[in-house]
Amino acid sequence: MIINHPLLGPRDSSEFYHLGDATLINRPDPDAADAAEQFYEYVYIRDDPAGEYRELWYHEQGDRSWLVVTRNTLTHEISSVELARDVARRQGK
Amino acid sequence: MPEYILTAEPPLGGYERHFEGTSLREHRELAIVAVSIPLGKDTAVSAALGEAYGATLPDHGVSVVSEDGATRILRFTADQIFLLFTHAKPDAAQVVSERLNGTGYTVDQTDNWVSLSLSGSLARPALERICAVNLRKDAFAIGRAERTVMEHLGAIIIRTGDDGFLLMSGSSSAESFLHALETSVKYVS
C-alpha cells in the first residue's frame, strides 16, 4: 500500500505505524462534569465502518509526522491524506 | 592517579571495503547536528542559514550544500533540519548554534548515527533491494535526501553523486546496518 504523504509524496506503508480512529485527536475535557463517561468512550468505544474511515498514521520511519488518512476499509483505496496538525489546527486546537 | 586519554572511535572502527569497483566506506569525523525550528521562525532560521552558510532552508526531501562546500543541510520534516559537516571535536552543536545566532534549537546527534558512503556501479542495484524509496536517477536526483527504512532499520539516504550515496543509520545497530548493506552488495556483484 502506498500513502501519498502531503509533504514527501508517495511512500511505502512499511514506513508507517497505524494507530487507528482519527477521533483520538478530540481528547475530552478532563474538567467536564461527565469526564469519566467521555474518557471511557474516548479510550474504548470505536466505530467499525465498512467503507470510508479516517485513521491516524504515524510516519515513524520517515519524517515522524502524524497523518490523517481517509481509507476505504473495503477496497483499501485512500482518498485523502492530511497532516494531523493541520486537521487539529482547523478545529482550533 | 592514572591518566586516561579518550580517543573517539566511529561505530564500525573506520570500516572500508571494495566490491568490484564499488566502495563502502565509513565516515570517521562526520558531525551531525539537528536544528529544530521554533514555531513561526522559519524565516529567521532561513536568514541565519543564508548569512552563515550561504544557503536557504531546503525543501522537504532535498539537501543543499553550503557556499564553501563544507556543510550539507538536510530537511525531512517541517520543523527540523540536519547539518552534516566534517568536524573532529565534540562541540559541533555549539559551533552551529553560534553560527546561526541561536535562531534554532541545536542538538548534537553525531554519536547517534553511523555514516557510510556507498559509491560505484553496484550502489544503486544493491540499495534498490533493501530501500523503500524510488532510487531511479530521474526520481531521486543528486542532492535528494530521504529518511526511510532499510531492511528493518531506520535510515537516511542522500544521493551525493551520479552513483554515490551517503547512508546513515542508528549507531547502536551499526553492525546490523552494515550486514544488510554488505549482503545486498554481494548479491548483486
Side-chain angles (χ1 to χ4, degrees), chain A residues 7-8 11-12 14-15 61-64 85 89, chain B residues 39 60 76-79 132 146-149 154:
Chain A
L7 299 176
L8 307 172
R11 306 297 290 245
D12 193 273
S14 64
E15 294 181 358
Q61 302 287 20
D63 75 338
R64 313 292 168 109
R85 71 176 184 180
R89 279 175 186 165
Chain B
L39 193 63
H60 303 95
F76 308 110
T77 186
D79 303 328
E146 291 290 2
R147 195 161 181 165
T148 182
V149 63

Side-chain angles (χ1 to χ4, degrees), chain B residues 119-151:
Chain B
S119 59
S121 58
L122 298 177
R124 188 171 285 97
L127 290 170
E128 276 172 353
R129 297 172 63 93
I130 57 171
C131 179
V133 172
N134 181 1
L135 298 178
R136 268 177 35 189
K137 286 189 178 183
D138 52 345
F140 201 70
I142 292 173
R144 283 289 306 277
E146 291 290 2
R147 195 161 181 165
T148 182
V149 63
M150 293 192 201
E151 294 288 346

Side-chain angles (χ1 to χ4, degrees), chain A residues 42-63:
Chain A
Y42 175 79
V43 173
Y44 294 111
I45 306 299
R46 297 281 182 278
D47 290 335
D48 186 18
E52 206 166 76
Y53 193 36
R54 292 174 81 240
E55 303 168 305
L56 284 168
W57 288 71
Y58 179 51
H59 198 193
E60 187 171 28
Q61 302 287 20
D63 75 338

Side-chain angles (χ1 to χ4, degrees), chain B residues 22-27 30 72 84 115-128 131 133-146 150 156-168 177 181:
Chain B
T22 295
S23 68
L24 181 58
R25 181 176 63 83
E26 183 185 18
H27 287 268
L30 189 69
R72 184 177 288 273
L84 273 51
S115 308
L116 291 146
S117 272
L118 180 63
S119 59
S121 58
L122 298 177
R124 188 171 285 97
L127 290 170
E128 276 172 353
C131 179
V133 172
N134 181 1
L135 298 178
R136 268 177 35 189
K137 286 189 178 183
D138 52 345
F140 201 70
I142 292 173
R144 283 289 306 277
E146 291 290 2
M150 293 192 201
I156 287 171
I157 179 166
I158 306 156
R159 186 170 168 209
T160 52
D162 202 36
D163 287 320
F165 296 88
L166 174 58
L167 310 167
M168 295 159 62
F177 188 58
L181 290 172

